[in-house]
Structure formats: C-alpha cells, structure tokens
Amino acid sequence: MAEERSLFVNTEFNSEILGIIIKRHWLTPLFFLILFFLIAFFYLRYTKPVYQATSVLQIIEENEGDKVLGNTELTENTDLSEEIELLRSDVLFTKAIGKLQLQTTIFYEGKIVTRDLYNQAPFEILVYRFSDSLLIGKRIDIGLVNNKITLKYKIGQKNYTLSGKPNEHLSNKMFDVVIRPISLKSFNEFFSDDQIYFQFNDSEKLKKELHQNLTINPLDDQAKTIEISFVHFNPRLSYDIVNAVLNTYLNYEKEVKQSKANNTILFIDRQLDSLSRIVRQSKDSLNQFTRTEGISDIDLMTLNLSNNINELNHRLDEIDDEIATLRLVSSKIQSDPNRIEIYRLIPEMVGKKSFDAVFISQIEELNKLLESRDDLLRDVTAEHSKVKIINEKISNRILSVRRSIVVTDERMKIEKNAINTKIAQLQGKFIALPEKRMEYDRLKYMEELNNRYLSLFTEKKIEYEISNAGYFTTNRVLSEATIPTSPLTPKPMLTYILIIGIGVLIGFGFLAFRYFTFNDIISIQDLQKILPEKANFLGAVPLYKRKMRYSQVVVNESSKSRMAEAIRSLRANMSFINKDAKLIAVSSSISGEGKTFVILNLAGLIAANGKKTVVIDLDLRKPKIHHGFNTENFEGMSSLISGFVQLDDVVRNSHLPNLHFITAGPIPPNPSELIQSERLAQIIEELKTKFDIIMIDNPPVGIVSDGIQILANADVPLYVFKANYSKRIFVKRVQELFEVQKLNSLNIILNGVEGKKSSYGYGYGYGYGYGYGYGYGYGYGYGYGYGYGESDQDGGYYTDDEHEEKPLLIRLREKLFNLWKSKKQKSKE
C-alpha cells in the first residue's frame, strides 16, 4: 500500500500521542544517556591524555653601535616570516633535541595504559656505546633483584640477558650503558610492581615524529610576537622541547648574525691592505711625473681655455637666436603688413644685442602708421587723400626697414664668423696641450680614486666594528613555558558534557522523531479528528485480550461483557442509520485490522436477536471466515460465482441459531473478475429472499479495489480501523472512497480499543428522523427526541463482572429502550 510506505508527519500538537510516545519509549533517552556516559567513561579511561606546552616570543633587535653612529644601514630589518621559518627548520629542531637525553625512552607498562617516563623515572640511562641497529625500537626489560639490575631482550628467536649493579657499565657487543639511580630509595621501590622497560631510539625517526608536534604560529605581525607550542603524551617532554627550541633559537640567531658581521670586517681588512699599497704607488708616480716634467699650474690654464670656449659658444647661440628673429621680422614686413603682427614683433626684438635702437624705432614707427591708417579708415574710405598719404608713408617706412634688415643681417654674419674663428683658435690651443697634461690627469685621478676607496673602507670597518661590539638581541619571552598539569585533550568535563549531551540529544531526538512520525490511530478521539466530514463514526470495539489464531464469534460468551455491549452499541447505531438494512458490507485498509472479527460478532449478535443472518466471505485472496467457524474451505463463493455449485450447496449452518455462512471457496486465479461479475449481484439478490441480513466480508480496499462496488451498494457500508495498528495515513483511503469512488456514506468502526483508554458506547433515539449516540468512558450513551439525538456519558460505568448487578440508571435505560422497541414493533404490525 503506497500510503503505508510513505512518511507521515504530525504537524499539530497532540498530548495523547505525546503520552503514548513517553510511555512506550521513556527508557530510550535513559538508554542513550547511560550508553554515551559509558562511551565517555571508557574513552577517558583508555585514551592517553595529550599535553601542550606553550611559550610566546617577541622579536626585537637593537644595536647600540648604530645608535652611536647615527645610522641604521647596518641593522637588518627583521622579517617575522623569516624568523618563523627558522624556528620551524629541521636544523634548529635537530640542535634543540640534541640537547635533550633522547637516545633512549623509558616506559611504564601498567595494567591498562603504557606511559612514557621521560624525566619521571627515578633513574637515568647513560649511553656510552650503541653499535647494533637491530636493537632500535626493541623492548629491553629492566628488573631489580637483590640490588642487582637485570636487562632482558629478544632479537629474533634468541633471548639475551645482561646483569650488573647500578652505576656500573652494562655492556656487550651491542651496547654499553650505565643505569644511574637519582634516588636509591625511590629506585628500589620503583621496580616493586609493574613492568619497566626501555628502548633505543632511531634519532632520525624520533626527530620526524617529534617535529610534527611542534607548532610555530605568528600572533601579531605588528607586535612581532610568535607562539611556540608542542604537544605530547608526556607533559615534561612538551615543556623541555619548547624551552630547547626557544633557547636554541636565541643562541643560534646571535651566533649567525655576529658571524656575518665578523666575516664582513675580515673582508674589509683584506681590502684595506691592498688599497694602502695601491695608494702609495699612485702618489709616488704622480710626484715623480711632476718633478720630471716641470708642470706647475696646468690646471689653471686648462680652466681658462675651457671658460673662454664656453663663453664664445654661448655668444654663438645668441647670434643664432637673433638671426632667427630677424628672419621672422623679414617675413612679416610685406607690401601690406598686418598691424597686429607688426605690433607683436616689437617684444621679440627687445633685448637683442644685434638690433640697434634705430632699427627698433623704425618698426615702432611703422606700427604707429598702420594704427593711424586703421583709425582713419573708420571715418573715411580708402580713396580719401589722407589715407593715400599715410599709405605712401607706410611704403617708405617698409623700404627703410628692409634696408635695415639687410644691414643687420650682414653684421651678425660677420660677427658669427669671427667668433667661430676664435673658437677654432682656442680649441687648437686646448688640443695642443702636451700629452704630459693627459698623463698628469690620469695619475692624479688614480690617486684620488684610490684615496676615496681607502677612506670608504676605513669608515665601514670602523662602523662594523662598533656595530658588532654594540649588537645584542632583546627578543623577549612574553610567556614562559610551564609544565602542563591539565591535558589538552581529552578534557574530562568537556568530554562528559559533549558526549552525554549528544546522548541526550539523540535520546530526545528519537522521542521527537517517533512523535512527529507517529502514524498509529490510538483512540476514538484521535480517529474522529482526522476522519473526513462525510464519514460517520459508528462506534468502538474493545480489545479482545484472549489470544485467538483466527477471528471467531465471542459475543455469545457473555451478554454482560464489554465486547457484547460494544457490539450491541454498533448494532443499535446501525439501525439508526438504516433501520431496514439487509445488506451490510465491511472492509478495511489492510489485513489484520479486525474486519472479520467485527463482522462475525455483529452477525452473531444480530442472529441472537432472531434475525436470519448469513455471513459471506468475499476475501477470495485471503479467506478467513471458515476459520471462525472451525470448518473447511472446500466450496464457497468462488465455486458459486463460477457456476460449479448451487447456492444451497455452499450455505452452511453455524453453531449459533439463525447464523449461516458461506466460505470463500478455493482461491481463484481471477478474484477481481468474480467479485465484479453480474453473477455475484444475482447471488446477493437471491440471498435477500432467503435471509433477513446479509453480511459481506470484503477484501481490504486499501490493497485492492475489488470490494469497493460492494461497499457502494451496501445498505450499511462499514470500514474498520484498529487502534494502535492502523496508520493515520489510512484515513486518506476513506477520503478517496468519497472523492474518487463516489461513495455516499461510510461508517467507521474502531477495533481493538484498549481498556482504560477506550471510550465507546451506543445511543438510540425515537421520534421523527433518526438519532444515534456515543459515549466516552465506560458507560452507555442514550438520546431521545425528535430529529437528531446525541448521547453522552451520564455518570454510568461498565464492569466485566457478569454477576454484578447493573446500576439503577442503566437498568432504567434498558427498560426505556425495550419499551421503545416494543412500540416500534406494534406500529409495524
């Protein structure tokens, strides 16, 4: 069934479901709590604690020598990442653990946990010789008997033993060690109970294993702080390794940096020796040359020649500039010059040495004439006599300017040629200086260069010596390592809180999961909440606690039993639904919900009331009716519908008066075709002529749809759910029967309601219309009046004791019902 496999989720709070979940599974959270407590206990009991030692280092470098010299060039700017890599390096770590006594490791073998006794044993092992690598990692047991030490170990299949006194050499071809007690009293007591052994360590392997536990982390780049931490099962070893790494770093850093400065000073000393010899040779060569050649003041002569050539070259540049200006003036002086352009020429000529005042005044006069003409043309035409006079003056001025341009140009060319000649003469003199001058300069230059290098190296040597003498590291240990007393992991309190918390969450999560996915129908109220509005709740059937392999008629066992009263209640309510009903059909969602039990006991009650009743088993796939009557299933409905037998051949009498039954017969290969055939309808009509009530046990409609048509045609269609067995999602099938199959009505019965949790009853009414009733608790419901009557509990109770007299109120109700029944019978007659 698809609905059964799908996941149902409760979306509303239901205290009744919550109570059932707590009652059924209250041990689950306790179980998980105890389980996870035990997990935490054994985890802490058998897990080796890990300890962490930590130190914080601040990198600060100062150089008092640099402060004296007033420079910082010689002090390197410390990069934090470089220091971190140095602290992490194999070289530094190897130096650090080399200072610790890690050639051997002593172990304490307890009953549960083996501990590393580094620096905790009352003795130490001094290794003087170790020559056999086969012993690396091998267990060597240490025993003490009568103040005599015994070493036992095994290589391959051969056992070795070595004995001696404390502080004496215990040696053979493989090793030579001395076991030195730190305290004789503690030493003797130490070997009293447990196993003590040691092993020789592989230095490389040990270094790699320990190096993995070292952590170097930058804390603050600005403050230049670094955290050094180490984790290990032995707290003292963690502490010692952190301190060893820290001290090795501080010493290593000072040695390396001072060694670098010393090497630099040594290099400078060598260079100074060489430069001193070269400087002396250069000075001697220069003195010898000046004395031999008689050169006294060649520098002054060279300087004067150079200055004169420079001055003449500067004058040539000025002349070239003036010639360019003259070309510009010549290009602007045309037959009809533009006044604005002429005006702009005047500033260009001012300050030029070659332009005399007469030439400049001519340009200025030409500008004035052009300005006058422009002013006159605003009042008269170009043909006016005054304009013509001014034009004539302008032409004359242009001619004079052009003549001045020619004269000025010739003068500048002459001056330029003269300067070039002078420069050539001076350059000839400069080039003509004797080669002795060149040799003098070379020797002078070499002397000065060598003197500069000698001075520079001398200064650097002094600076490095002062710097090296004043260098010291001020790296501060902000947080010193301490021997850890509490483990890093596991932390007992946190472990208990976390693991037990997980157990509690899982336990209550399981309850929450069971609550949200609770899918059982548990009570009448629960079922009524989820039933469709069109469905009629007919009543409840209590749980029959006596074990039965198959459903049987039990209503006849006691007329005062809860089961009999519940079935009577169902029968009474059915009469209100359809008092003339002849065909009653029952079905359910799946097998096992008790539809066969309900139909058999209803049939037994109806037959006991004098109605000729027949029960038909139409569950052709899984027949059960024949088990209820303790008979065989040789022939039945399948044989009858198929036409192999007649109706009278399959109708059987039960052990109860007026109760007959027809078994399912042999299981056919085509049950759906038989149930939906016209022949079945004919058989039912024929049965109606022979019996007062026909009750049909249909197959579960939640699995197959064979019996839906029978339910639709029944006078009273019944649908059975079972408390704490049927799923809430099965109610969707009831909704489908109304919406898809178009059933007009469906009457719901809740089977298997447990004792104190049950609430069931019946009601009846009289007058016009019809009525039905129901009650909560142990009691009867009743109703009366015209139209619709509803019953409710009225303080009554029910007992299973057949011999206990019913309360007065209940007996009055029964008398009222019998009176109403007799009246109805008389009215029919």
Side-chain angles (χ1 to χ4, degrees):
M1 182 178 178
E3 291 88 356
E4 185 180 2
R5 291 191 299 268
S6 60
L7 181 64
F8 180 84
V9 179
N10 290 313
T11 57
E12 297 180 357
F13 177 74
N14 190 319
S15 59
E16 191 173 7
I17 294 177
L18 181 61
I20 290 176
I21 293 297
I22 294 174
K23 181 178 180 181
R24 290 181 182 178
H25 305 289
W26 67 273
L27 282 175
T28 302
L30 182 61
F31 167 76
F32 280 109
L33 180 63
I34 295 173
L35 174 64
F36 279 84
F37 174 81
L38 292 176
I39 291 174
F41 173 78
F42 285 108
Y43 170 75
L44 294 173
R45 184 72 178 85
Y46 294 106
T47 300
K48 282 186 178 181
V50 175
Y51 297 87
Q52 181 182 42
T54 303
S55 180
V56 177
L57 173 68
Q58 187 177 35
I59 305 299
I60 299 176
E61 289 189 352
E62 293 183 359
N63 194 318
E64 296 298 329
D66 289 339
K67 291 180 180 179
V68 173
L69 295 172
N71 69 76
T72 58
E73 293 180 1
L74 301 178
T75 302
E76 298 179 1
N77 186 19
T78 304
D79 187 353
L80 199 61
S81 61
E82 294 179 1
E83 304 304 317
I84 292 174
E85 291 304 317
L86 176 59
L87 285 165
R88 289 175 179 167
S89 66
D90 288 338
V91 174
L92 189 74
F93 191 74
T94 301
K95 288 178 176 292
I97 64 173
K99 299 176 181 179
L100 307 176
Q101 295 181 0
L102 296 177
Q103 289 177 292
T104 60
T105 302
I106 304 172
F107 293 98
Y108 167 93
E109 185 181 41
K111 296 179 180 179
I112 297 175
V113 178
T114 298
R115 293 190 294 114
D116 179 359
L117 293 180
Y118 168 81
N119 213 7
Q120 295 177 1
F123 64 92
E124 60 181 355
I125 300 175
L126 306 177
V127 181
Y128 289 90
R129 176 175 53 82
F130 178 71
S131 57
D132 196 335
S133 60
L134 292 176
L135 272 179
I136 291 177
K138 294 291 184 181
R139 172 174 175 155
I140 302 176
D141 292 304
I142 308 176
L144 182 64
V145 179
N146 297 326
N147 295 325
K148 192 173 183 180
I149 296 173
T150 302
L151 303 183
K152 296 181 179 180
Y153 58 95
K154 183 178 182 180
I155 298 178
Q157 300 299 323
K158 189 174 182 180
N159 295 318
Y160 294 87
T161 302
L162 193 62
S163 300
K165 293 182 179 181
N167 294 317
E168 290 184 355
H169 285 265
L170 303 175
S171 63
N172 55 18
K173 294 180 179 180
M174 299 179 183
F175 60 84
D176 180 6
V177 298
V178 171
I179 296 180
R180 186 175 68 85
I182 299 173
S183 169
L184 286 176
K185 181 180 180 182
S186 300
F187 181 74
N188 293 328
E189 294 175 353
F190 190 69
F191 292 95
S192 59
D193 297 323
D194 298 289
Q195 293 286 335
I196 307 298
Y197 68 94
F198 76 96
Q199 66 182 28
F200 290 100
N201 294 322
D202 184 341
S203 59
E204 286 299 321
K205 183 179 179 181
L206 181 65
K207 183 189 73 174
K208 291 179 180 179
E209 291 176 354
L210 295 178
H211 202 184
Q212 295 175 356
N213 299 335
L214 179 68
T215 303
I216 309 295
N217 288 322
L219 294 182
D220 190 335
D221 289 338
Q222 297 296 325
K224 293 188 179 299
T225 53
I226 299 173
E227 181 187 65
I228 305 170
S229 62
F230 187 83
V231 295
H232 197 264
F233 301 120
N234 189 299
R236 182 57 186 263
L237 181 61
S238 299
Y239 166 78
D240 285 350
I241 287 183
V242 169
N243 282 334
V245 170
L246 184 61
N247 294 330
T248 303
Y249 165 76
L250 295 175
N251 294 331
Y252 181 82
E253 174 214 25
K254 183 176 181 180
E255 291 172 2
V256 168
K257 293 187 176 180
Q258 287 192 335
S259 175
K260 186 187 299 183
N262 290 332
N263 291 335
T264 304
I265 293 172
L266 180 60
F267 170 77
I268 292 175
D269 283 337
R270 292 173 181 172
Q271 297 300 315
L272 286 175
D273 291 340
S274 176
L275 284 173
S276 297
R277 292 193 301 270
I278 294 173
V279 167
R280 287 194 298 270
Q281 292 174 0
S282 299
K283 188 174 182 180
D284 293 342
S285 298
L286 181 62
N287 292 333
Q288 180 66 28
F289 178 78
T290 53
R291 285 195 300 268
T292 303
E293 302 298 334
I295 298 175
S296 58
D297 198 7
I298 195 171
D299 291 336
L300 180 60
M301 185 178 69
T302 303
L303 178 63
N304 292 334
L305 287 174
S306 178
N307 290 337
N308 292 334
I309 292 173
N310 289 335
E311 289 177 1
L312 292 175
N313 284 327
H314 179 68
R315 178 55 188 158
L316 280 178
D317 293 337
E318 291 179 350
I319 292 173
D320 289 337
D321 183 55
E322 291 171 353
I323 291 173
T325 302
L326 189 63
R327 298 289 185 271
L328 177 63
V329 173
S330 177
S331 64
K332 299 299 182 181
I333 303 299
Q334 304 294 332
S335 59
D336 188 13
N338 185 285
R339 184 183 67 83
I340 299 301
E341 292 180 349
I342 298 302
Y343 176 76
R344 290 175 179 175
L345 289 175
I346 296 173
E348 291 288 336
M349 294 184 295
V350 173
K352 306 295 183 182
K353 294 181 180 180
S354 300
F355 296 163
D356 54 16
V358 175
F359 180 67
I360 294 174
S361 66
Q362 289 178 349
I363 299 299
E364 290 176 349
E365 289 177 2
L366 177 60
N367 178 60
K368 291 179 181 179
L369 290 173
L370 291 172
E371 185 178 1
S372 298
R373 186 181 67 179
D374 291 343
D375 293 339
L376 187 61
L377 286 173
R378 292 189 182 97
D379 299 326
V380 297
T381 63
E383 300 299 328
H384 195 273
S385 58
K386 289 184 179 181
V387 174
K388 291 180 178 180
I389 293 171
I390 290 175
N391 285 336
E392 185 176 355
K393 290 180 179 181
I394 289 172
S395 299
N396 293 332
R397 183 56 59 194
I398 288 172
L399 291 174
S400 61
V401 168
R402 287 179 177 174
R403 286 195 294 268
S404 297
I405 289 172
V406 173
V407 173
T408 303
D409 182 62
E410 290 178 355
R411 186 176 66 251
M412 286 190 294
K413 288 179 180 179
I414 293 171
E415 184 179 359
K416 182 177 180 181
N417 292 332
I419 291 173
N420 285 329
T421 302
K422 185 64 174 176
I423 289 174
Q425 292 174 354
L426 293 176
Q427 286 178 344
K429 290 180 180 181
F430 189 81
I431 295 172
L433 286 175
E435 292 182 359
K436 300 173 184 180
R437 177 67 181 85
M438 302 298 293
E439 180 65 15
Y440 175 85
D441 290 342
R442 185 184 68 79
L443 294 174
K444 187 69 174 177
Y445 173 76
M446 292 301 298
E447 181 191 21
E448 293 175 353
L449 181 62
N450 292 330
N451 280 327
R452 284 200 304 271
Y453 277 119
L454 182 62
S455 299
L456 176 62
F457 274 86
T458 303
E459 291 174 2
K460 291 301 179 182
K461 178 182 177 180
I462 295 171
E463 290 176 1
Y464 269 100
E465 286 177 343
I466 296 175
S467 176
N468 192 32
Y471 174 81
F472 65 95
T473 177
T474 58
N475 294 336
R476 290 194 286 259
V477 180
L478 302 183
S479 175
E480 293 185 353
T482 58
I483 300 176
T485 56
S486 59
L488 177 67
T489 59
K491 295 184 180 297
M493 184 59 66
L494 181 61
T495 299
Y496 277 118
I497 292 174
L498 289 178
I499 296 183
I500 294 176
I502 292 172
V504 172
L505 288 177
I506 292 176
F508 284 98
F510 174 79
L511 291 184
F513 175 78
R514 293 306 299 262
Y515 173 81
F516 286 113
T517 59
F518 188 83
N519 198 15
D520 293 346
I521 297 171
I522 55 176
S523 65
I524 295 173
Q525 295 86 348
D526 187 32
L527 179 58
Q528 287 177 329
K529 288 179 183 179
I530 60 178
L531 279 176
E533 294 182 0
K534 294 181 66 176
N536 302 320
F537 181 74
L538 197 63
V541 176
L543 178 66
Y544 190 73
K545 297 184 178 180
R546 190 185 306 169
K547 291 185 178 181
M548 294 184 299
R549 185 176 180 183
Y550 299 105
S551 298
Q552 295 180 353
V553 179
V554 298
V555 72
N556 62 331
E557 294 178 354
S558 173
S559 61
K560 297 180 180 181
S561 66
R562 284 190 298 171
M563 182 63 68
E565 293 297 341
I567 298 299
R568 276 195 288 271
S569 174
L570 294 178
R571 174 55 183 159
N573 290 336
M574 287 168 56
S575 66
F576 295 135
I577 293 172
N578 190 341
K579 63 182 179 179
D580 299 323
K582 289 184 68 67
L583 180 61
I584 300 171
V586 66
S587 186
S588 63
S589 301
I590 60 173
S591 178
E593 293 181 288
K595 61 180 178 62
T596 302
F597 179 81
V598 171
I599 200 70
L600 285 176
N601 284 278
L602 271 174
L605 181 64
I606 293 172
N609 289 334
K611 297 286 186 179
K612 189 176 181 181
T613 306
V614 61
V615 179
I616 301 173
D617 191 351
L618 272 184
D619 193 350
L620 303 183
R621 294 178 179 83
K622 196 174 182 180
K624 295 179 181 178
I625 292 295
H626 63 284
H627 294 300
F629 293 104
N630 296 319
T631 185
E632 299 296 334
N633 186 27
F634 294 126
E635 292 182 346
M637 289 301 298
S638 62
S639 306
L640 180 60
I641 297 172
S642 300
F644 298 125
V645 294
Q646 299 300 318
L647 179 60
D648 294 336
D649 298 332
V650 295
V651 177
R652 305 182 190 183
N653 299 324
S654 71
H655 62 285
L656 298 176
N658 295 322
L659 180 59
H660 308 272
F661 65 93
I662 303 174
T663 63
I667 298 175
N670 55 343
S672 296
E673 296 179 6
L674 295 181
I675 294 174
Q676 297 174 5
S677 65
E678 293 292 334
R679 175 59 180 156
L680 177 60
Q682 295 173 4
I683 293 171
I684 292 174
E685 292 300 323
E686 186 177 354
L687 287 171
K688 286 181 180 180
T689 62
K690 296 182 178 183
F691 296 93
D692 297 326
I693 300 294
I694 302 170
M695 308 194 77
I696 300 176
D697 185 8
N698 281 312
V701 296
I703 300 176
V704 293
S705 59
D706 301 347
I708 294 177
Q709 188 61 39
I710 302 298
L711 285 178
N713 296 331
D715 298 327
V716 180
L718 303 178
Y719 200 93
V720 177
F721 291 98
K722 185 175 182 180
N724 299 311
Y725 181 82
S726 299
K727 306 304 179 185
R728 300 161 70 85
I729 202 169
F730 291 174
V731 177
K732 291 184 179 180
R733 186 56 172 164
V734 176
Q735 185 70 26
E736 290 176 2
L737 293 175
F738 285 116
E739 295 178 355
V740 179
Q741 305 299 335
K742 305 300 181 183
L743 262 68
N744 296 323
S745 66
L746 195 62
N747 304 283
I748 308 302
I749 298 173
L750 182 61
N751 180 36
V753 178
E754 296 184 5
K756 294 183 179 180
K757 296 181 182 177
S758 65
S759 55
Y760 59 89
Y762 66 87
Y764 49 86
Y766 61 89
Y768 299 100
Y770 72 91
Y772 71 92
Y774 57 88
Y776 300 98
Y778 303 112
Y780 298 94
Y782 67 95
Y784 59 91
Y786 296 100
Y788 178 83
E790 180 176 312
S791 69
D792 202 349
Q793 181 181 358
D794 191 15
Y797 70 96
Y798 181 81
T799 175
D800 284 330
D801 190 352
E802 298 182 13
H803 303 289
E804 183 177 351
E805 186 179 1
K806 297 179 182 177
L808 177 62
L809 183 58
I810 296 177
R811 285 186 278 124
L812 288 175
R813 288 174 180 172
E814 289 184 348
K815 289 181 179 180
L816 180 62
F817 177 72
N818 293 332
L819 179 62
W820 172 80
K821 187 176 181 182
S822 63
K823 287 183 179 180
K824 292 290 290 183
Q825 187 68 25
K826 289 179 181 179
S827 64
K828 287 182 180 180
E829 294 175 352

